[in-house]
Amino acid sequence: MTCPVPPLLSQQEEQEVNFNWDITYNDGTFGSNADWSHTMISVGSTFEWNGFYFTPALYYQWSLDDDPLAVNDEDDFYAAFSVGYNF
């Protein structure tokens, strides 16, 4: 889901805040039991400047699998920052 917002950089014509949700089913990877693995929400936005783009985002992941063999059995909060250049 996207939500348009006024651009925060004067060179940028438009900007959106992106909201995402997903849920993952693990079919037995790395010897774990097949089960719903985790669900995650995220929010981020892309900023454009002189051909460069910067995308900061925040994520929160809830583990749904408390099996000791689970790929990840803990809840996690993390951030990501992507940088690129358009030719």
Side-chain angles (χ1 to χ4, degrees):
M1 179 176 86
T2 61
C3 178
V5 295
L8 297 174
L9 299 176
S10 61
Q11 300 88 350
Q12 195 162 321
E13 293 181 19
E14 58 185 36
Q15 188 160 5
E16 297 176 334
V17 175
N18 300 303
F19 299 93
N20 296 297
W21 171 76
D22 71 40
I23 188 166
T24 302
Y25 184 83
N26 181 354
D27 65 354
T29 305
F30 303 119
S32 64
N33 293 329
D35 201 354
W36 290 103
S37 171
H38 61 279
T39 186
M40 181 181 61
I41 59 170
S42 66
V43 61
S45 187
T46 298
F47 298 87
E48 299 171 3
W49 176 75
N50 290 337
F52 287 94
Y53 60 89
F54 311 93
T55 307
L58 297 174
Y59 299 84
Y60 193 83
Q61 174 181 301
W62 289 272
S63 177
L64 303 174
D65 189 359
D66 58 0
D67 185 328
L69 298 175
V71 174
N72 181 6
D73 62 354
E74 297 180 8
D75 297 344
D76 293 313
F77 174 76
Y78 57 99
F81 187 73
S82 302
V83 177
Y85 182 76
N86 292 318
F87 291 80

